Amino acid sequence: MRLPARLAVSGPLISIPITLAAVAVMATPARADDPSTSAPDYTLFESGPVRPLARAVSRQLLFAANIPDGRLEVFATGAQGRLTPLGSVAVGLEPVAVALRTEEEVWVVNHLSDSVSVVDVSDPTRPRVVRTLLVGDEPRDIVFAGPGRSRAFITTAHRGQNIGFDPQLTTPGVGRADVWVFDANCLGNTLGGTALRVITLFSDTPRALAVSRDGSRVYAAAFLSGNRTTTLNERLIPDGGIAQGGLPPPNVDARGVPQPEVGLIVRYDGTQWIDPLGRAWSSSVRLSLPDWDVFAIDANASPPVLVGGDKGRWSGVGTVLYGMVVNPASGKIYVSNTEARNDVRFEPTVRGHFVENRITVLDGARVLPRHLNKHIDYSTCCAPVPNPENDRSLALPLDMAVSRDGHTLYVAAFGSSKIGVFRTDELERDSFVPDARNHIRVSGGGPSGLVIDESNGLLYAYTRFDNALSVIDLALRREIAHTLLHNPEPPEVIRGRRLLYDAAYTSSHGDSACASCHVSGDFDGLAWDLGDPNGLPLAVPGPFVITPPFAVEAHPMKGPMVTQSLRGMANHGPMHWRGDRTGGILPGASPSQQPDGGSFDERAGFRQFNPAFAGLLGRSAPLSDDEINALAEFALRITYPPNPVRRLDNSLTADEQAGRDFFHTQPSTLGATCVSCHVLAPQANAGAPGVIAPGFFGTDGHYTYVKESQIFKIPQLRNLYQKVGMFGMADTSIGPSLPTSLSLASGDNQFTGAQVRGFGYLHDGSVDTIYRFHSNELARQSPTNPGGIPVGPAGDTIRRQLERYLLAFDTNLAPVVGQQVTLTAATWAVAGPRIDLLVARAERGECDLIAKADSLLEEEGLLYAGRGAFRRDRAAAPLASDAGLRWWALGPGRSVTYTCVPLGSGLRLGLDRDGDGRLDGDERDIGSDPANPG
């Protein structure tokens, strides 16, 4: 294609003469110079770092993923630990992993953007994004292996708008984890790159990868792997407690009041499903959980494939698997993980001991878990911190690194602000003795990425609490330098984050924190029975949509409840499944005062969690008022990501639309529609005249009662797609008048075989599918017309449509947020429709659209201002037209990467990185640093 003469020039975009299209745009005012100025300029997703550092050995360069700033940072390294910043380049949103293909090319995994940025670092002062690959949902890790280490392996969830195949979300027995494989030498000219293969693992969402010594094997690990536990629905447990063959004792609280009839967590012991008393319940479980944790992939095969049989997979590695590394000398695999004790009932019983932090050694077929804190005496509790036992502990082990000779393992203990040092032979034999003298403290907190520089005797660590890099002298075993990366996070985010993860401060033993279950501010995929037989009831003030016909209080023995996410709590009222963490119980509080009073005061509600620090974590005392307030401010900022099931243009499929129509318009036998309780109002009136709240996504904070044994807060519905994977549930015998077809999940209640999750839907995770929920739960309203859904094939169709709609339910962000495309001469023919989509969604106000125009001279930022025009990062520069920008990308050595970012963050991410009011291009022109507001 021949370029127009006036566009066939090199140099920065500012040197290009304005095109006629741009002049036409400039004649009419654009939508706004600064789109969405009322929205916050930083959105907190709290994506967990996986492999944030990489090192080019021969060039003495260190590459770091700047997670909150969405950039790759490049540093020169020196023998004295000095880090000299050389360059920086915008990649995607939430970059969590970095890997070198060659010394001159770095690949960056962008967790929220569902993409991989290919970065040319041949000139480290001018790193350039030359290609963006599109992959499945929430990619986490990347390694290179196979012939010549030329194949890229990337872990993603088995879903997402870019996958190009049906993820079969409602089909039993399908793995929910993918590994995407690309030939780095032949990415193809398709929009998002042509994958060699997408390998599906029979597990839930994956995370870590590792490579064998010779590059012929890639090892992939599940993330929230589970531990062969599941919940039996309460209707499968005989009423009346232990005397009737029901729940294990105790069955009454401190007042002698019987507990509600609730479900029961059971564990598979290798032969049968048993409860804490050892009683068998296998006849009530309709699935199996093989619990495959780690998988081997033949990286040399064409295309790569899973290694067959039991030699290619390992079970029993851990519950939550964080990091993985191969010993370069022995080939043994080390997996950092935590193991949950969720089958142990009651908070007082697991106080200070509900998870264990481990490194599991995979030695051939042997699986050898090693408890990192075997020094802890769990029979004691709650000594004030610091204390000697706490000082020897390591919590939340994430990334690891092994010395070249294979003798030493370094472990980033995220929750301890330390790096553990182990002799690998002692770790493998389990002969090591926990000792604080084998720990290296890092000042920033939250170490989560490690790279060894053996030639200089150094170790580099990424510290997430403060978004910085630590340099450690290995001989002295101490930190010798600490370099902050530019961080756009508000001070309250930085201040409060530590309190979610810091086990050394928030637990007596030093081995557990809120994040032990609320993994990266989300959940662990498990149910826990954390009732308290010694407790007293909690007040539940309402307001109620449907008031129960009994005393309105929450019994202290609540039964199993799945871990809820900390995402999206803002504007959603009381907390916990039963809403028993609420500001409505405070003196003088009105239970129905919106938007920020009484039961709707989320900060007051969050403060009601403070007793858990002593009651569950085993701390000697709750946090101070200032500390719990800081944690609340942080937690209430965590946001749900866009729904990866919904189409990028925010439209619904025919089934999803039919489900939505029923959800919003069809009254049930109770006279209300689904949305009457599960309120969906992305921009909602908060109750007071003229007050608009951030929105409701399945609940507005009210409570209800629908013939349950307890009262519940109406739950939000934004993360139902995350709970897919449990298929198989015994008949719960709703009642003799219920037609048989209504108590069936997929036509029958027979054994469904192997599944990847043990917990599904409802408060206790006992219901396997959304379809089953509508079949069973709503059937109690009317056995002949459950929830307004007719009996027979028509009803079955409606339930399927409802399921499809709920899996695609709205979240706080439109589906397009985070999505990217890089336009070059090679992709020009295929990228146009995707750019059109991003522009159209920005015009609809669903995102801010930024672009980074990259030439051999500089990276220029642009922000879409509406009506086909982009504002540029120099105050005096004229607007650039959409068409002109696309044509400019056809020039040699040029690329334009477009990204839809959250509303409000476009100005910062596109034009003014440090938010000081001076645009980035203007700062570059005078030799100032766009990342330093000083």
Side-chain angles (χ1 to χ4, degrees), residues 489-830:
E489 295 174 321
E492 54 268 29
V493 168
I494 300 172
R495 184 167 54 247
R497 174 178 286 116
R498 177 180 67 91
L499 295 165
L500 177 67
Y501 300 99
D502 192 347
Y505 184 71
T506 62
S507 67
S508 175
H509 296 313
D511 70 332
S512 57
C514 299
S516 299
C517 295
H518 295 287
V519 180
S520 295
D522 199 16
F523 57 52
D524 56 7
L526 303 174
W528 299 76
D529 188 344
L530 297 179
D532 184 359
N534 303 314
L536 295 173
L538 296 172
V540 179
F544 291 88
V545 173
I546 302 174
T547 303
F550 49 76
V552 182
E553 63 180 22
H555 195 282
M557 297 166 68
K558 55 192 174 183
M561 296 196 176
V562 295
T563 305
Q564 289 188 306
S565 178
L566 299 185
R567 296 168 169 176
M569 294 189 298
N571 198 52
H572 277 63
M575 298 168 192
H576 262 187
W577 283 104
R578 302 186 301 173
D580 50 26
R581 298 296 188 265
T582 170
I585 62 173
L586 300 178
S590 167
S592 58
Q593 183 181 344
Q594 287 186 314
D596 293 314
S599 293
F600 298 93
D601 183 343
E602 286 83 16
R603 287 164 178 78
F606 191 90
R607 288 194 292 269
Q608 301 303 311
F609 287 112
N610 204 2
F613 285 93
L616 182 57
L617 298 185
R619 198 173 190 269
S620 60
L623 299 181
S624 70
D625 288 346
D626 286 345
E627 289 168 335
I628 192 64
N629 287 336
L631 179 56
E633 291 297 327
F634 164 75
L636 288 170
R637 283 179 173 264
I638 304 176
T639 303
Y640 271 105
N643 188 307
V645 178
R646 198 167 178 134
R647 288 171 169 171
L648 290 179
D649 64 1
N650 218 357
S651 66
L652 299 176
T653 67
D655 277 347
E656 291 165 359
Q657 184 62 52
R660 186 188 189 280
D661 292 343
F662 186 94
F663 187 89
H664 284 261
T665 63
Q666 179 63 45
S668 73
T669 53
L670 299 177
T673 61
C674 300
V675 78
S676 300
C677 292
H678 290 288
V679 177
L680 174 60
Q683 291 292 328
N685 188 286
V691 176
I692 302 298
F696 302 127
F697 299 91
T699 182
D700 64 356
H702 280 73
Y703 301 75
T704 191
Y705 162 73
V706 185
K707 300 183 180 179
E708 295 279 359
S709 62
Q710 303 182 76
I711 58 92
F712 291 94
K713 174 194 168 181
I714 299 167
Q716 60 86 24
L717 302 175
R718 285 166 290 187
N719 62 350
L720 300 185
Y721 66 88
Q722 289 181 278
K723 301 184 178 185
V724 168
M726 175 188 173
F727 294 85
M729 179 182 174
D731 186 352
T732 53
S733 300
I734 297 172
S737 62
L738 177 67
T740 303
S741 62
L742 290 180
S743 63
L744 310 182
S746 300
D748 59 52
N749 287 88
Q750 301 305 308
F751 182 73
T752 61
Q755 305 299 330
V756 301
R757 287 177 55 87
F759 301 95
Y761 299 93
L762 211 61
H763 65 281
D764 58 5
S766 66
V767 177
D768 59 348
T769 63
I770 301 173
Y771 176 94
R772 168 91 69 167
F773 171 80
H774 288 107
S775 295
N776 278 9
E777 296 304 312
L778 295 183
R780 285 180 294 168
Q781 296 181 21
S782 170
T784 59
N785 187 19
I789 301 176
V791 175
D796 182 76
T797 297
I798 290 173
R799 284 189 291 276
R800 294 294 182 200
Q801 292 168 338
L802 272 172
E803 183 174 48
R804 292 289 186 180
Y805 169 60
L806 291 174
L807 289 172
F809 205 75
D810 299 70
T811 77
N812 301 64
L813 299 170
V816 76
V817 171
Q819 293 297 310
Q820 297 188 284
V821 62
T822 294
L823 180 66
T824 64
T827 61
W828 207 80
V830 295

Side-chain angles (χ1 to χ4, degrees), residues 214-226:
D214 61 1
S216 66
R217 290 284 188 271
V218 168
Y219 304 102
F223 182 24
L224 308 182
S225 176

Side-chain angles (χ1 to χ4, degrees), residues 117 143 203 214 220 297 302 375 385 411 421 429 528 542 678 693 734 791 840 844 854-855 858 901 921:
S117 299
V143 295
S203 73
D214 61 1
I297 299 170
S302 294
H375 65 286
V385 296
V411 181
V421 185
R429 294 195 307 266
W528 299 76
H678 290 288
I734 297 172
V791 175
R844 291 291 298 270
D854 212 320
S855 69
E858 71 171 356
V901 301

Side-chain angles (χ1 to χ4, degrees), residues 6 16-23 26 872 878-880:
R6 300 184 71 191
I16 300 175
I18 299 301
T19 66
L20 291 178
V23 172
M26 291 171 60
R872 293 153 70 177
L879 297 179

Side-chain angles (χ1 to χ4, degrees), residues 60 77-83 453 456-458 460 471-473 479-482:
Q60 295 290 293
T77 63
Q80 288 74 42
R82 184 180 300 109
L83 291 178
D453 179 359
N456 292 309
L458 300 174
Y460 304 103
V471 184
I472 294 154
D473 186 308
E479 181 183 89
I480 59 173
H482 193 69

Side-chain angles (χ1 to χ4, degrees), residues 250-543:
N251 302 128
V252 297
D253 66 10
R255 306 163 299 171
V257 175
Q259 73 177 114
E261 296 298 339
V262 297
L264 178 65
I265 296 175
V266 293
R267 177 189 288 271
Y268 189 69
D269 69 355
T271 59
Q272 58 186 344
W273 293 91
I274 61 171
D275 69 10
L277 299 181
R279 296 180 299 173
W281 294 86
S282 297
S283 62
S284 298
V285 181
R286 294 290 192 266
L287 53 81
S288 67
L289 295 175
D291 189 32
W292 297 118
D293 293 331
V294 176
F295 302 81
I297 299 170
D298 183 347
N300 287 337
S302 294
V305 294
L306 287 170
V307 176
D310 290 346
K311 292 184 179 180
R313 58 193 183 189
W314 292 264
S315 179
V317 177
T319 304
V320 179
L321 312 184
Y322 287 104
M324 188 161 50
V325 70
V326 173
N327 186 314
S330 68
K332 295 175 183 177
I333 307 165
Y334 308 123
V335 186
S336 59
N337 65 91
T338 58
E339 177 73 355
R341 303 179 69 239
N342 63 307
D343 58 324
V344 180
R345 300 174 75 216
F346 300 136
E347 182 174 294
T349 309
V350 297
R351 185 183 190 189
H353 188 200
F354 55 92
V355 297
E356 293 183 355
N357 300 269
R358 313 190 313 184
I359 301 292
T360 298
V361 181
L362 304 183
D363 183 4
R366 296 193 301 165
V367 178
L368 308 171
R370 302 304 185 223
H371 184 198
L372 298 182
N373 302 312
K374 54 188 178 180
H375 65 286
I376 293 177
D377 180 1
Y378 287 112
S379 67
T380 64
C381 179
C382 311
V385 296
N387 62 68
E389 184 183 70
N390 180 297
D391 197 40
R392 298 167 65 189
S393 299
L394 296 175
L396 299 178
L398 300 190
D399 198 15
M400 296 172 287
V402 186
S403 61
R404 189 183 300 117
D405 61 14
H407 292 166
T408 307
L409 175 70
Y410 300 93
V411 181
F414 191 73
S416 305
S417 295
K418 296 187 289 189
I419 296 168
V421 185
F422 294 88
R423 283 182 48 181
T424 55
D425 60 337
E426 292 182 346
L427 180 72
E428 292 164 9
R429 294 195 307 266
D430 201 18
S431 62
F432 70 94
V433 177
D435 191 332
R437 290 174 295 183
N438 294 325
H439 301 166
I440 304 170
R441 298 184 183 276
V442 292
S443 59
S448 50
L450 300 178
V451 171
I452 301 175
D453 179 359
E454 296 205 57
S455 62
N456 292 309
L458 300 174
L459 177 71
Y460 304 103
Y462 171 69
T463 54
R464 182 64 187 96
F465 290 0
D466 64 345
N467 198 45
L469 303 176
S470 287
V471 184
I472 294 154
D473 186 308
L474 291 178
L476 300 176
R477 289 194 177 180
R478 66 177 177 85
E479 181 183 89
I480 59 173
H482 193 69
T483 301
L484 294 173
L485 305 179
H486 174 62
N487 192 349
E489 295 174 321
E492 54 268 29
V493 168
I494 300 172
R495 184 167 54 247
R497 174 178 286 116
R498 177 180 67 91
L499 295 165
L500 177 67
Y501 300 99
D502 192 347
Y505 184 71
T506 62
S507 67
S508 175
H509 296 313
D511 70 332
S512 57
C514 299
S516 299
C517 295
H518 295 287
V519 180
S520 295
D522 199 16
F523 57 52
D524 56 7
L526 303 174
W528 299 76
D529 188 344
L530 297 179
D532 184 359
N534 303 314
L536 295 173
L538 296 172
V540 179

Side-chain angles (χ1 to χ4, degrees), residues 90-151:
V91 285
L93 299 186
E94 306 289 291
V96 295
V98 178
L100 271 67
R101 182 176 83 91
T102 69
E103 295 261 312
E104 296 188 343
E105 186 175 285
V106 177
W107 291 33
V108 183
V109 173
N110 306 307
H111 184 66
L112 194 90
S113 287
D114 301 343
S115 67
V116 177
S117 299
V118 180
V119 184
D120 179 348
V121 292
S122 54
D123 178 358
T125 67
R126 275 287 298 118
R128 304 171 52 242
V129 174
V130 295
R131 187 72 187 269
T132 298
L133 306 178
L134 304 180
V135 294
D137 187 40
E138 297 185 336
R140 284 187 165 90
D141 201 4
I142 180 171
V143 295
F144 288 92
R149 305 265 178 164
S150 63
R151 292 174 173 174

